[in-house]
Amino acid sequence: MEFNKIAPYYSFLESLLFGGALQASRTSFIHHLVDSENILLIGEGRGRLLKELLTLNPKAEVQVIEQSTRMIEKMKWDLKQFDLKKVTFINESFLTYQGTYQFDAVCTCFFFDCFESLEVKNGIGKIVSLLKADGLWMNADFRFFSNNALHQRIAHQILIQFLYGFFHLTSRLSPTTLVCVQTLACKGGFKVVETFEHAFLPLGSEVYRRD
């Protein structure tokens, strides 16, 4: 994957295609982080969750893992009005990240939909090792809902395939189908605390606690 080329336009493209829907999914459970002292953000992109987090909980120590150097540059520019002394930016793929520090909370927003099933499973296992015993994992991503009407499921499938095609051309993204993160999370040692599902779009979020 290579997101450097689209980093300058990422926020614009998100707003153009989805309005505020993705941000609503990112921040639907941010209140759970108000007292967290150490937080890890994985694949943070342009820093839209980080911005809200710094406003909500300015005392927290935050580590940000982001593979794209341009995303980090743009993130710092977008957040120049904030004091970033307590924010550590790590320019690395989470797949190769070898950190051992344990956090109060870990956040993955529209991150795991960029990976194949085995990579997601391994990533969830790594999150388990990075969380304290009572730590929280907040996840937001695209997903399909089986209880939707047939026309909604067809429309959602078309949208997802368009997005995978677009990011394959612009960012060399290789996956072509969504992985059910919630199923792998529950098998990997997490229990669901709270969930959010968008009414019209194939996206949502949930909060997990180590089981």
Side-chain angles (χ1 to χ4, degrees), residues 113-168:
D113 42 32
C114 296
F115 298 96
E116 305 285 358
S117 181
L118 181 58
E119 294 171 323
V120 175
K121 181 180 179 180
N122 292 339
I124 291 172
K126 188 176 291 187
I127 289 175
V128 172
S129 70
L130 292 170
L131 274 174
K132 295 178 181 178
D134 59 346
L136 293 175
W137 168 29
M138 190 172 74
N139 178 66
D141 58 22
F142 290 96
R143 74 278 305 273
F144 295 123
F145 302 112
S146 59
N147 59 340
N148 282 343
L150 177 61
H151 70 277
Q152 285 182 302
R153 296 201 302 271
I154 293 173
H156 290 174
Q157 183 68 51
I158 293 171
L159 174 62
I160 295 301
Q161 290 307 309
F162 165 78
L163 292 174
Y164 273 124
F166 174 80
F167 283 107
H168 175 72

Side-chain angles (χ1 to χ4, degrees), residues 96-211:
T96 60
Y97 176 69
Q98 297 296 321
T100 57
Y101 188 87
Q102 290 193 307
F103 297 86
D104 297 314
V106 173
C107 302
T108 51
C109 294
F110 304 99
F111 173 73
F112 279 125
D113 42 32
C114 296
F115 298 96
E116 305 285 358
S117 181
L118 181 58
E119 294 171 323
V120 175
K121 181 180 179 180
N122 292 339
I124 291 172
K126 188 176 291 187
I127 289 175
V128 172
S129 70
L130 292 170
L131 274 174
K132 295 178 181 178
D134 59 346
L136 293 175
W137 168 29
M138 190 172 74
N139 178 66
D141 58 22
F142 290 96
R143 74 278 305 273
F144 295 123
F145 302 112
S146 59
N147 59 340
N148 282 343
L150 177 61
H151 70 277
Q152 285 182 302
R153 296 201 302 271
I154 293 173
H156 290 174
Q157 183 68 51
I158 293 171
L159 174 62
I160 295 301
Q161 290 307 309
F162 165 78
L163 292 174
Y164 273 124
F166 174 80
F167 283 107
H168 175 72
L169 291 173
T170 61
S171 309
R172 296 186 295 180
L173 191 68
S174 57
T176 58
T177 58
L178 292 175
V179 176
C180 184
V181 174
Q182 189 172 96
T183 298
L184 293 177
C186 292
K187 290 180 178 179
F190 287 98
K191 61 181 179 180
V192 178
V193 176
E194 197 172 354
T195 63
F196 162 81
E197 296 180 4
H198 195 277
F200 306 107
L201 293 169
L203 54 90
S205 58
E206 57 275 323
V207 177
Y208 299 98
R209 191 182 298 278
R210 286 182 57 179
D211 198 353

Side-chain angles (χ1 to χ4, degrees), residues 16 23 30 35 64 92 143 157 173 186 192:
L16 178 67
Q23 186 67 352
I30 195 172
D35 295 319
V64 178
E92 185 178 353
R143 74 278 305 273
Q157 183 68 51
L173 191 68
C186 292
V192 178

Side-chain angles (χ1 to χ4, degrees), residues 23-37 39 49 52-57 60 104-105 107 136-139 193-196 205-209:
Q23 186 67 352
S25 292
R26 286 190 190 97
T27 60
S28 54
F29 301 123
I30 195 172
H31 57 278
H32 285 282
L33 308 181
V34 66
D35 295 319
S36 298
E37 296 180 358
I39 303 170
L49 176 62
E52 298 299 324
L53 181 59
L54 292 175
T55 302
L56 176 75
N57 186 356
D104 297 314
C107 302
L136 293 175
W137 168 29
M138 190 172 74
N139 178 66
V193 176
E194 197 172 354
T195 63
F196 162 81
S205 58
E206 57 275 323
V207 177
Y208 299 98
R209 191 182 298 278

Side-chain angles (χ1 to χ4, degrees), residues 27-73:
T27 60
S28 54
F29 301 123
I30 195 172
H31 57 278
H32 285 282
L33 308 181
V34 66
D35 295 319
S36 298
E37 296 180 358
N38 300 282
I39 303 170
L40 176 65
L41 307 185
I42 302 170
E44 177 58 4
R46 285 293 296 266
R48 300 191 70 182
L49 176 62
L50 178 59
K51 181 178 181 179
E52 298 299 324
L53 181 59
L54 292 175
T55 302
L56 176 75
N57 186 356
K59 295 182 179 180
E61 299 276 351
V62 183
Q63 286 192 30
V64 178
I65 300 175
E66 172 54 55
Q67 184 176 352
S68 168
T69 55
R70 291 297 303 279
M71 286 290 192
I72 292 177
E73 291 171 3

